Amino acid sequence: GSFQRDYVMDDNGLKAMAYRNTGHDPVARWETAHKIDQRQKAAIDTVRRLWDIVGIRQRITASYGERVGGAGCVELRAALVLDAMRDLERIEGYFHGLKQWWIVFENVCRFGEAAGTAGEAVGYSPKTAQTRALTTVQFIADIIADRERI
């Protein structure tokens, strides 16, 4: 795959250099190709963070008892999950009547489904599915950024 040098925060809060695989994730590929702007990427990252908190983002690897941040206080973790669930419900509510577009956004951003496949699944023609999926993700991310003031 293709890799891009990036900086991440390690467990101690220190900045560390890492290489990000941009070949498997449509959003990472679009970001690398400058097809989505930073505001759209921030909106996508916000929703991905919420999916992570409520535990509905698809994992790539199995869980082997790794440490989970915030697991020390059950009440605080439960409150965090409830807040994230309400935030996701509010955000998804912005697209009432646009369910097909939300499905494309979710399939690409949450599950990493290929843009062409996600586009075809909601009825876009095979020739335009990839481009229309990108446009749909951009549109949904723009609305989220506007409504959430990102």
Side-chain angles (χ1 to χ4, degrees), residues 8 29 37 46 52 85 91-92 98 109-110 132 142:
V8 297
R29 280 196 312 274
D37 61 34
T46 297
D52 282 343
M85 289 172 71
I91 290 170
E92 195 169 341
L98 302 174
C109 299
R110 176 177 167 193
R132 286 185 171 199
D142 282 335

Side-chain angles (χ1 to χ4, degrees), residues 64-132:
Y64 294 106
E66 62 268 14
R67 292 180 5 193
V68 178
C73 182
V74 175
E75 292 85 7
L76 287 177
R77 175 75 183 146
L80 181 66
V81 169
L82 287 173
D83 286 344
M85 289 172 71
R86 274 184 282 217
D87 290 345
L88 275 173
E89 186 176 329
R90 182 187 65 248
I91 290 170
E92 195 169 341
Y94 300 153
F95 306 102
H96 182 73
L98 302 174
K99 188 67 174 167
Q100 295 291 86
W101 292 355
W102 177 260
I103 288 169
V104 171
F105 178 83
E106 187 174 30
N107 286 344
V108 170
C109 299
R110 176 177 167 193
F111 298 116
E113 184 174 38
T117 305
E120 283 185 53
V122 296
Y124 297 142
S125 73
K127 288 185 178 182
T128 63
Q130 188 171 4
T131 302
R132 286 185 171 199

Side-chain angles (χ1 to χ4, degrees), residues 14-85:
L14 300 173
K15 195 178 203 182
M17 188 179 77
Y19 287 92
R20 184 170 40 137
N21 183 351
T22 59
H24 73 287
D25 180 19
V27 174
R29 280 196 312 274
W30 293 334
E31 182 184 18
T32 301
H34 304 291
K35 292 184 178 182
I36 59 173
D37 61 34
Q38 288 193 340
R39 191 166 176 250
Q40 292 164 339
K41 180 67 167 81
I44 292 166
D45 288 345
T46 297
V47 176
R48 283 179 164 175
R49 182 182 53 79
L50 294 172
W51 284 326
D52 282 343
I53 291 170
V54 298
I56 58 174
R57 185 163 181 207
Q58 182 175 343
R59 293 184 56 91
I60 296 173
T61 61
S63 296
Y64 294 106
E66 62 268 14
R67 292 180 5 193
V68 178
C73 182
V74 175
E75 292 85 7
L76 287 177
R77 175 75 183 146
L80 181 66
V81 169
L82 287 173
D83 286 344
M85 289 172 71

